[in-house]
Amino acid sequence: MISWKPRVAWPRSTKTLLGMVGLLGILAVACSSSVPTGTAGISRQPNVDIRGEDGQVNRIAYVGPNGDLFTVDPDGEGLSRLTGGLQAGGGPPGRVSQGAVQAQPLRMNEYYTWPTWSADGTKLAVSRVVVKDGGTDVTLQVMDAGTGRSETVYENDGGGLVAEGAPHYIYWAPSGDELSFLAATADGLGLFVWDGTPGKQAGQINQGRPLYYQWSKDAGAMALHIGLEVVWARPPEGRGSRQSFQSSGNFRVPAISPNGERLAYVDLADGRMGLYIAPTNDLDQARKIIDVGSSSAFMWSPDGTQIAVADQSVPRNPLYDRLMLVPTDGGPFTTWSPGQSSNDVWAFFWAPAGDKLAWVSVNAEERELEWVVSSTNGSDAKRLFSFQPSAEVFIMLSFFDQYAHSHSPWSPDGKFLVIAGTKGDTARRSNGRTPTGDRIYVLDVEGTTEPRDLGAGVLAVWSWN
């Protein structure tokens, strides 16, 4: 998937972690974060049954500034700390994780990042970095979302991380217990799948760079983009139906329709880039639905009737010139001009019901980002929040068409967004003084209430249910 090095000023705790890992030539530096943990002993047990009984409903998982993992209700109640030292009778306010009631030794060498919800809300997958005298251990943990009990399903073999600030890219199947992820191996970037069996390690099913992919909704197939090759594999691993072709299109993630019957991708033909749709049972029967710019990103609407497309006319421009809604039946498309200029779209995300689209606008004059939400008919666009993203959110927005499938900022009911960062100048002018450092904010997409500050944190993601 990822061969990128985002340019960003990293927070102190993230800088320290990356130095310890030695990612992409950044070598060892002293650890400045005190990161206690009370689950380290559990997470090293290879046969812990982490199958949760009750799914978490309408919960937010987030990473604190020191690398601990929490879940919380959208109103800030019911805080649960899943990692970190808990003293008997103490701990954070609200609902404390079960199974962690005794005093635990404080540790200063662990960091958890990129929590990712399973479809049923019972589990979280998360990257874990442990710095030791003899080196650094980077593992992928699957954790019970209620208790924090976890097991290791993959241990990095020394190949580094997939990108700055991202030990893995983690993506649960939309249904069932399968977990996919990308990890840097000694032989390159590998795609792995864990079948959900406690005590069983994940297995590699593909390799290549760059590598982007999407699960089908029924988890029975994957669309992959590996180098120049576009692949439709059903099932994703092992023997089965496999179609592939070469594409010269400048895009990242191929897009599967919600019913799994069509695949959208970009290709170059007759000197022009075009967005194509092909039936997944015969990729040779593709048809072009629209010309696109030199680079583009696209995602199907949840009902499968439209594709949101962002493209750019200036090669290698990090932003998109326009944002369009393109009907898949060949009807006329709608172009939005969401910002003060035509050069300001960075990322977009469909609401769960498909009735709204949220995007991140770039205000060059203010040197900040802004969340904007509109109904899909283009009316009532609301500017919700001006901010500077955390380092992790910077990564997520830079590769939003991949992260949209795994790390949704939308609440399950489509009424709120969750983001991490610091308030921008515009937000500060309208909301008064704000605490320093990255924080977790819940945004009302109707704009009728002020953003809710949930506390310090660098990355947050909403459960799917």
Side-chain angles (χ1 to χ4, degrees), residues 92-104:
R95 184 173 60 83
V96 178
S97 299
Q98 301 175 16
V101 296
Q102 63 184 21
Q104 301 285 350

Side-chain angles (χ1 to χ4, degrees), residues 120-144:
D120 62 4
T122 62
K123 295 178 288 293
L124 287 161
V126 62
S127 296
R128 176 175 177 256
V129 178
V130 179
V131 181
K132 305 185 299 184
D133 291 340
T136 303
D137 289 339
V138 180
T139 59
L140 193 145
Q141 306 286 317
V142 173
M143 181 179 297
D144 184 285

Side-chain angles (χ1 to χ4, degrees), residues 56 59 71-73 77-82 92-98 145-147:
Q56 303 286 296
R59 296 279 285 176
T71 64
V72 68
D73 293 331
E77 297 297 320
L79 181 66
S80 176
R81 184 173 186 165
L82 300 182
R95 184 173 60 83
V96 178
S97 299
Q98 301 175 16
T147 67

Side-chain angles (χ1 to χ4, degrees), residues 56-96:
Q56 303 286 296
V57 177
N58 199 28
R59 296 279 285 176
I60 295 168
Y62 74 92
V63 177
N66 288 331
D68 282 319
L69 180 61
F70 301 83
T71 64
V72 68
D73 293 331
D75 60 3
E77 297 297 320
L79 181 66
S80 176
R81 184 173 186 165
L82 300 182
T83 66
L86 291 175
Q87 302 301 320
R95 184 173 60 83
V96 178

